[in-house]
Amino acid sequence: MARPDKAAAVAELTEQFRNSNAAVLTEYRGLTVAQLKTLRRSLGENAQYAVVKNTLTKIAANEAGISTLDDLFNGPTAVAFVTGDPVESAKGLRDFAKDNPNLVIKGGVLEGKALSADEIKKLADLESREVLLSKLAGAFKAKQSQAASVFQALPSKLVRTVDALRAKQDEQGGAE
């Protein structure tokens, strides 16, 4: 029978996996407490960074339906549980890892799909959700403006064509 404290820890980690959009596993060997505090701040408001026990976290991930991370639970492990924009947290991890080579991104999961360390770095290169949505809105607005121009051009082109035909008929009628 599992000890109650371990069972509670597994239940809490399972709940965090279920409530998160993404989870990123890192190795933090060699980082100071002050550096970990800085890392937590750099992840943004919608992420929680926790140093975890591999065995308990592996059990919790499996209970949450995530079995793709099993190979990553070795060495000192910490997990960034992301409930908001995963791009913002991935950028925070990437930028912190550039300044602190002791932080190693092992991999993670995004909405149930396993991600390698390279894929997390590619995710960090994306623009934030808000920027992408504003670009999409701008593209839609541009397409609507183009469509409006086309629809306005059709009646005016028709009027010009009719005027040209009328002028041509007048010329032909006056020449006879």
Side-chain angles (χ1 to χ4, degrees):
M1 177 94 186
R3 293 192 335 216
D5 59 332
K6 288 186 178 182
V10 168
E12 183 181 338
L13 287 168
T14 302
E15 195 63 28
Q16 284 184 306
F17 274 113
R18 287 185 179 145
N19 293 334
S20 299
N21 298 340
V24 180
L25 275 65
T26 63
E27 183 175 318
Y28 63 93
R29 188 186 325 242
L31 293 177
T32 66
V33 173
Q35 288 172 322
L36 286 174
K37 187 176 181 180
T38 303
L39 173 58
R40 284 184 176 98
R41 272 189 262 126
S42 71
L43 291 178
E45 295 177 12
N46 298 320
Q48 199 174 22
Y49 190 74
V51 174
V52 295
K53 291 190 175 285
N54 288 333
T55 307
L56 300 179
T57 309
K58 186 176 182 178
I59 293 168
N62 286 323
E63 284 184 12
I66 303 168
S67 59
T68 56
L69 301 177
D70 288 354
D71 296 340
L72 303 177
F73 291 113
N74 51 34
T77 303
V79 182
F81 294 102
V82 183
T83 55
D85 185 10
V87 174
E88 179 185 353
S89 298
K91 284 182 184 192
L93 284 169
R94 179 200 60 196
D95 295 344
F96 187 86
K98 282 182 185 176
D99 298 335
N100 301 283
N102 288 336
L103 180 75
V104 178
I105 299 172
K106 295 180 177 182
V109 63
L110 175 65
E111 296 180 2
K113 182 189 176 294
L115 297 175
S116 68
D118 289 335
E119 289 172 323
I120 291 171
K121 290 174 185 168
K122 287 179 185 175
L123 180 66
D125 292 336
L126 289 176
E127 293 173 334
S128 72
R129 184 177 193 273
E130 290 78 20
V131 171
L132 291 174
L133 286 174
S134 65
K135 284 186 175 183
L136 182 64
F140 281 142
K141 184 178 179 187
K143 290 297 178 188
Q144 287 176 342
S145 296
Q146 289 174 346
S149 297
V150 167
F151 293 136
Q152 285 177 339
L154 289 175
S156 64
K157 186 175 181 182
L158 177 65
V159 169
R160 284 194 306 270
T161 304
V162 169
D163 285 344
L165 283 173
R166 192 174 294 142
K168 188 172 184 179
Q169 286 178 345
D170 288 344
E171 281 179 21
Q172 289 177 352
E176 290 180 24

Short mmCIF file of all heavy atoms in Angstrom, two decimals, residues 94-135:
data_model
loop_
_atom_site.label_atom_id
_atom_site.label_comp_id
_atom_site.label_asym_id
_atom_site.label_seq_id
_atom_site.Cartn_x
_atom_site.Cartn_y
_atom_site.Cartn_z
N ARG A 94 13.37 28.72 -23.20
CA ARG A 94 14.45 28.82 -24.18
C ARG A 94 15.42 29.94 -23.84
O ARG A 94 16.64 29.76 -23.85
CB ARG A 94 13.87 29.05 -25.58
CG ARG A 94 14.94 29.20 -26.65
CD ARG A 94 14.44 29.89 -27.89
NE ARG A 94 13.95 31.23 -27.55
CZ ARG A 94 13.18 31.95 -28.34
NH1 ARG A 94 12.80 31.47 -29.49
NH2 ARG A 94 12.79 33.15 -27.99
N ASP A 95 14.87 31.11 -23.51
CA ASP A 95 15.72 32.26 -23.20
C ASP A 95 16.52 32.02 -21.92
O ASP A 95 17.70 32.38 -21.85
CB ASP A 95 14.87 33.53 -23.07
CG ASP A 95 14.22 33.92 -24.39
OD1 ASP A 95 14.65 33.41 -25.45
OD2 ASP A 95 13.27 34.72 -24.36
N PHE A 96 15.91 31.41 -20.92
CA PHE A 96 16.63 31.12 -19.69
C PHE A 96 17.74 30.11 -19.95
O PHE A 96 18.84 30.23 -19.41
CB PHE A 96 15.67 30.60 -18.61
CG PHE A 96 16.32 30.43 -17.27
CD1 PHE A 96 16.41 31.50 -16.39
CD2 PHE A 96 16.85 29.21 -16.89
CE1 PHE A 96 17.03 31.35 -15.16
CE2 PHE A 96 17.47 29.04 -15.65
CZ PHE A 96 17.56 30.12 -14.79
N ALA A 97 17.45 29.09 -20.78
CA ALA A 97 18.45 28.06 -21.09
C ALA A 97 19.63 28.65 -21.86
O ALA A 97 20.76 28.17 -21.73
CB ALA A 97 17.80 26.93 -21.88
N LYS A 98 19.40 29.70 -22.67
CA LYS A 98 20.50 30.35 -23.38
C LYS A 98 21.47 30.98 -22.39
O LYS A 98 22.69 30.90 -22.56
CB LYS A 98 19.97 31.43 -24.32
CG LYS A 98 19.40 30.92 -25.60
CD LYS A 98 18.94 32.08 -26.48
CE LYS A 98 18.24 31.60 -27.72
NZ LYS A 98 17.70 32.72 -28.51
N ASP A 99 20.92 31.63 -21.37
CA ASP A 99 21.75 32.30 -20.37
C ASP A 99 22.30 31.35 -19.32
O ASP A 99 23.31 31.64 -18.68
CB ASP A 99 20.95 33.41 -19.67
CG ASP A 99 20.50 34.50 -20.63
OD1 ASP A 99 21.16 34.68 -21.68
OD2 ASP A 99 19.49 35.17 -20.34
N ASN A 100 21.64 30.23 -19.11
CA ASN A 100 22.02 29.25 -18.08
C ASN A 100 22.08 27.86 -18.71
O ASN A 100 21.08 27.13 -18.72
CB ASN A 100 21.00 29.25 -16.94
CG ASN A 100 20.88 30.61 -16.29
OD1 ASN A 100 21.74 31.00 -15.52
ND2 ASN A 100 19.83 31.35 -16.63
N PRO A 101 23.23 27.47 -19.23
CA PRO A 101 23.33 26.19 -19.93
C PRO A 101 23.08 24.97 -19.04
O PRO A 101 22.92 23.86 -19.55
CB PRO A 101 24.76 26.18 -20.48
CG PRO A 101 25.47 27.28 -19.81
CD PRO A 101 24.48 28.21 -19.24
N ASN A 102 23.00 25.16 -17.72
CA ASN A 102 22.69 24.03 -16.84
C ASN A 102 21.24 23.59 -16.97
O ASN A 102 20.91 22.47 -16.59
CB ASN A 102 22.97 24.39 -15.37
CG ASN A 102 24.46 24.46 -15.10
OD1 ASN A 102 25.26 23.85 -15.80
ND2 ASN A 102 24.84 25.21 -14.09
N LEU A 103 20.37 24.44 -17.48
CA LEU A 103 18.98 24.05 -17.71
C LEU A 103 18.90 23.33 -19.05
O LEU A 103 19.24 23.89 -20.09
CB LEU A 103 18.04 25.26 -17.72
CG LEU A 103 16.58 24.89 -17.94
CD1 LEU A 103 16.00 24.28 -16.67
CD2 LEU A 103 15.77 26.08 -18.35
N VAL A 104 18.45 22.09 -19.02
CA VAL A 104 18.33 21.29 -20.23
C VAL A 104 16.86 20.95 -20.43
O VAL A 104 16.21 20.38 -19.55
CB VAL A 104 19.16 19.99 -20.12
CG1 VAL A 104 18.98 19.12 -21.35
CG2 VAL A 104 20.62 20.31 -19.87
N ILE A 105 16.33 21.31 -21.58
CA ILE A 105 14.95 20.97 -21.92
C ILE A 105 14.95 19.55 -22.47
O ILE A 105 15.61 19.26 -23.47
CB ILE A 105 14.36 21.96 -22.94
CG1 ILE A 105 14.35 23.37 -22.36
CG2 ILE A 105 12.97 21.53 -23.37
CD1 ILE A 105 13.97 24.45 -23.34
N LYS A 106 14.24 18.66 -21.79
CA LYS A 106 14.21 17.24 -22.19
C LYS A 106 13.15 16.96 -23.23
O LYS A 106 13.34 16.16 -24.13
CB LYS A 106 13.93 16.36 -20.97
CG LYS A 106 14.99 16.38 -19.90
CD LYS A 106 14.55 15.46 -18.78
CE LYS A 106 15.56 15.34 -17.68
NZ LYS A 106 15.12 14.40 -16.63
N GLY A 107 11.99 17.58 -23.08
CA GLY A 107 10.87 17.32 -23.97
C GLY A 107 9.59 17.69 -23.24
O GLY A 107 9.63 18.31 -22.17
N GLY A 108 8.47 17.31 -23.81
CA GLY A 108 7.23 17.65 -23.15
C GLY A 108 6.02 17.13 -23.90
O GLY A 108 6.14 16.27 -24.77
N VAL A 109 4.89 17.70 -23.54
CA VAL A 109 3.64 17.31 -24.16
C VAL A 109 2.80 18.57 -24.34
O VAL A 109 2.79 19.45 -23.48
CB VAL A 109 2.91 16.23 -23.32
CG1 VAL A 109 2.54 16.75 -21.96
CG2 VAL A 109 1.72 15.68 -24.04
N LEU A 110 2.15 18.69 -25.49
CA LEU A 110 1.28 19.83 -25.79
C LEU A 110 -0.07 19.27 -26.22
O LEU A 110 -0.17 18.62 -27.27
CB LEU A 110 1.87 20.70 -26.90
CG LEU A 110 1.01 21.85 -27.40
CD1 LEU A 110 0.78 22.88 -26.29
CD2 LEU A 110 1.66 22.53 -28.59
N GLU A 111 -1.09 19.50 -25.39
CA GLU A 111 -2.44 19.02 -25.64
C GLU A 111 -2.46 17.55 -26.05
O GLU A 111 -3.08 17.16 -27.04
CB GLU A 111 -3.12 19.91 -26.68
CG GLU A 111 -3.30 21.33 -26.18
CD GLU A 111 -3.97 22.26 -27.18
OE1 GLU A 111 -4.35 21.81 -28.27
OE2 GLU A 111 -4.11 23.44 -26.84
N GLY A 112 -1.72 16.73 -25.30
CA GLY A 112 -1.70 15.29 -25.51
C GLY A 112 -0.69 14.79 -26.51
O GLY A 112 -0.47 13.59 -26.61
N LYS A 113 -0.05 15.68 -27.26
CA LYS A 113 0.94 15.27 -28.27
C LYS A 113 2.34 15.43 -27.71
O LYS A 113 2.68 16.50 -27.18
CB LYS A 113 0.78 16.11 -29.53
CG LYS A 113 1.74 15.71 -30.64
CD LYS A 113 1.70 16.71 -31.78
CE LYS A 113 2.69 16.41 -32.87
NZ LYS A 113 4.08 16.54 -32.47
N ALA A 114 3.15 14.41 -27.83
CA ALA A 114 4.53 14.46 -27.33
C ALA A 114 5.36 15.42 -28.16
O ALA A 114 5.20 15.50 -29.39
CB ALA A 114 5.15 13.06 -27.37
N LEU A 115 6.22 16.16 -27.48
CA LEU A 115 7.13 17.09 -28.15
C LEU A 115 8.57 16.79 -27.75
O LEU A 115 8.85 16.55 -26.57
CB LEU A 115 6.82 18.54 -27.76
CG LEU A 115 5.46 19.11 -28.12
CD1 LEU A 115 5.32 20.51 -27.54
CD2 LEU A 115 5.28 19.15 -29.62
N SER A 116 9.46 16.82 -28.72
CA SER A 116 10.88 16.67 -28.41
C SER A 116 11.42 18.03 -27.96
O SER A 116 10.74 19.06 -28.08
CB SER A 116 11.63 16.19 -29.65
OG SER A 116 11.64 17.22 -30.64
N ALA A 117 12.65 18.05 -27.49
CA ALA A 117 13.27 19.31 -27.07
C ALA A 117 13.36 20.28 -28.25
O ALA A 117 13.12 21.48 -28.10
CB ALA A 117 14.65 19.05 -26.49
N ASP A 118 13.67 19.77 -29.44
CA ASP A 118 13.75 20.63 -30.63
C ASP A 118 12.39 21.22 -30.99
O ASP A 118 12.30 22.37 -31.40
CB ASP A 118 14.31 19.85 -31.83
CG ASP A 118 15.79 19.53 -31.68
OD1 ASP A 118 16.48 20.27 -30.94
OD2 ASP A 118 16.25 18.54 -32.28
N GLU A 119 11.34 20.43 -30.85
CA GLU A 119 9.99 20.93 -31.15
C GLU A 119 9.57 22.01 -30.16
O GLU A 119 8.89 22.96 -30.54
CB GLU A 119 8.99 19.78 -31.15
CG GLU A 119 9.15 18.84 -32.33
CD GLU A 119 8.29 17.60 -32.23
OE1 GLU A 119 8.11 17.06 -31.13
OE2 GLU A 119 7.80 17.15 -33.30
N ILE A 120 10.00 21.89 -28.93
CA ILE A 120 9.70 22.93 -27.94
C ILE A 120 10.44 24.21 -28.30
O ILE A 120 9.89 25.31 -28.18
CB ILE A 120 10.05 22.44 -26.52
CG1 ILE A 120 9.07 21.33 -26.13
CG2 ILE A 120 10.00 23.59 -25.52
CD1 ILE A 120 9.41 20.61 -24.86
N LYS A 121 11.66 24.08 -28.79
CA LYS A 121 12.41 25.27 -29.22
C LYS A 121 11.74 25.91 -30.44
O LYS A 121 11.71 27.13 -30.57
CB LYS A 121 13.87 24.91 -29.50
CG LYS A 121 14.63 24.59 -28.22
CD LYS A 121 16.02 24.10 -28.48
CE LYS A 121 16.66 23.69 -27.16
NZ LYS A 121 17.89 22.95 -27.33
N LYS A 122 11.21 25.11 -31.34
CA LYS A 122 10.47 25.64 -32.50
C LYS A 122 9.19 26.34 -32.04
O LYS A 122 8.82 27.37 -32.59
CB LYS A 122 10.13 24.53 -33.49
CG LYS A 122 11.32 24.03 -34.27
CD LYS A 122 10.94 22.91 -35.21
CE LYS A 122 12.16 22.33 -35.88
NZ LYS A 122 11.83 21.15 -36.71
N LEU A 123 8.54 25.77 -31.04
CA LEU A 123 7.35 26.38 -30.46
C LEU A 123 7.69 27.75 -29.89
O LEU A 123 6.93 28.71 -30.02
CB LEU A 123 6.76 25.48 -29.38
CG LEU A 123 5.51 25.95 -28.67
CD1 LEU A 123 4.34 26.00 -29.65
CD2 LEU A 123 5.17 25.02 -27.51
N ALA A 124 8.86 27.85 -29.28
CA ALA A 124 9.31 29.13 -28.70
C ALA A 124 9.56 30.17 -29.78
O ALA A 124 9.46 31.38 -29.52
CB ALA A 124 10.57 28.92 -27.87
N ASP A 125 9.87 29.74 -30.99
CA ASP A 125 10.13 30.68 -32.09
C ASP A 125 8.84 31.25 -32.68
O ASP A 125 8.89 32.23 -33.41
CB ASP A 125 10.94 30.00 -33.20
CG ASP A 125 12.35 29.67 -32.76
OD1 ASP A 125 12.85 30.33 -31.82
OD2 ASP A 125 12.96 28.75 -33.34
N LEU A 126 7.70 30.65 -32.35
CA LEU A 126 6.42 31.17 -32.84
C LEU A 126 6.10 32.49 -32.15
O LEU A 126 6.58 32.78 -31.06
CB LEU A 126 5.29 30.19 -32.53
CG LEU A 126 5.24 28.89 -33.31
CD1 LEU A 126 4.10 28.03 -32.80
CD2 LEU A 126 5.06 29.15 -34.79
N GLU A 127 5.27 33.26 -32.80
CA GLU A 127 4.79 34.48 -32.17
C GLU A 127 3.67 34.11 -31.20
O GLU A 127 3.07 33.05 -31.32
CB GLU A 127 4.31 35.46 -33.24
CG GLU A 127 5.46 35.95 -34.09
CD GLU A 127 5.01 36.79 -35.26
OE1 GLU A 127 3.86 36.61 -35.71
OE2 GLU A 127 5.80 37.61 -35.72
N SER A 128 3.38 35.00 -30.28
CA SER A 128 2.36 34.70 -29.28
C SER A 128 0.99 34.56 -29.93
O SER A 128 0.75 35.01 -31.06
CB SER A 128 2.32 35.79 -28.21
OG SER A 128 1.76 36.97 -28.75
N ARG A 129 0.08 33.96 -29.21
CA ARG A 129 -1.27 33.73 -29.70
C ARG A 129 -1.94 35.03 -30.10
O ARG A 129 -2.60 35.12 -31.14
CB ARG A 129 -2.07 33.02 -28.60
CG ARG A 129 -3.47 32.63 -28.99
CD ARG A 129 -4.14 31.86 -27.84
NE ARG A 129 -5.35 31.23 -28.25
CZ ARG A 129 -6.54 31.82 -28.26
NH1 ARG A 129 -6.65 33.06 -27.86
NH2 ARG A 129 -7.60 31.17 -28.66
N GLU A 130 -1.77 36.07 -29.28
CA GLU A 130 -2.40 37.36 -29.56
C GLU A 130 -1.88 37.96 -30.87
O GLU A 130 -2.65 38.50 -31.67
CB GLU A 130 -2.16 38.34 -28.41
CG GLU A 130 -2.90 38.00 -27.13
CD GLU A 130 -2.26 36.87 -26.32
OE1 GLU A 130 -1.05 36.60 -26.53
OE2 GLU A 130 -2.96 36.25 -25.52
N VAL A 131 -0.57 37.86 -31.09
CA VAL A 131 0.02 38.40 -32.32
C VAL A 131 -0.50 37.63 -33.53
O VAL A 131 -0.88 38.21 -34.55
CB VAL A 131 1.56 38.36 -32.26
CG1 VAL A 131 2.18 38.72 -33.60
CG2 VAL A 131 2.07 39.29 -31.17
N LEU A 132 -0.55 36.29 -33.42
CA LEU A 132 -1.05 35.49 -34.54
C LEU A 132 -2.51 35.78 -34.83
O LEU A 132 -2.92 35.88 -35.99
CB LEU A 132 -0.86 34.00 -34.24
CG LEU A 132 0.59 33.51 -34.21
CD1 LEU A 132 0.65 32.05 -33.77
CD2 LEU A 132 1.25 33.68 -35.56
N LEU A 133 -3.32 35.96 -33.77
CA LEU A 133 -4.74 36.28 -33.98
C LEU A 133 -4.91 37.65 -34.62
O LEU A 133 -5.76 37.84 -35.49
CB LEU A 133 -5.49 36.23 -32.65
CG LEU A 133 -5.76 34.83 -32.09
CD1 LEU A 133 -6.38 34.91 -30.71
CD2 LEU A 133 -6.63 34.03 -33.04
N SER A 134 -4.08 38.62 -34.22
CA SER A 134 -4.20 39.95 -34.82
C SER A 134 -3.77 39.93 -36.28
O SER A 134 -4.36 40.61 -37.12
CB SER A 134 -3.41 40.99 -34.02
OG SER A 134 -2.03 40.72 -34.08
N LYS A 135 -2.76 39.13 -36.61
CA LYS A 135 -2.35 38.99 -38.01
C LYS A 135 -3.46 38.33 -38.83
O LYS A 135 -3.73 38.73 -39.97
CB LYS A 135 -1.06 38.18 -38.13
CG LYS A 135 0.17 38.96 -37.74
CD LYS A 135 1.42 38.16 -38.01
CE LYS A 135 2.65 38.99 -37.73
NZ LYS A 135 3.88 38.25 -38.04
#
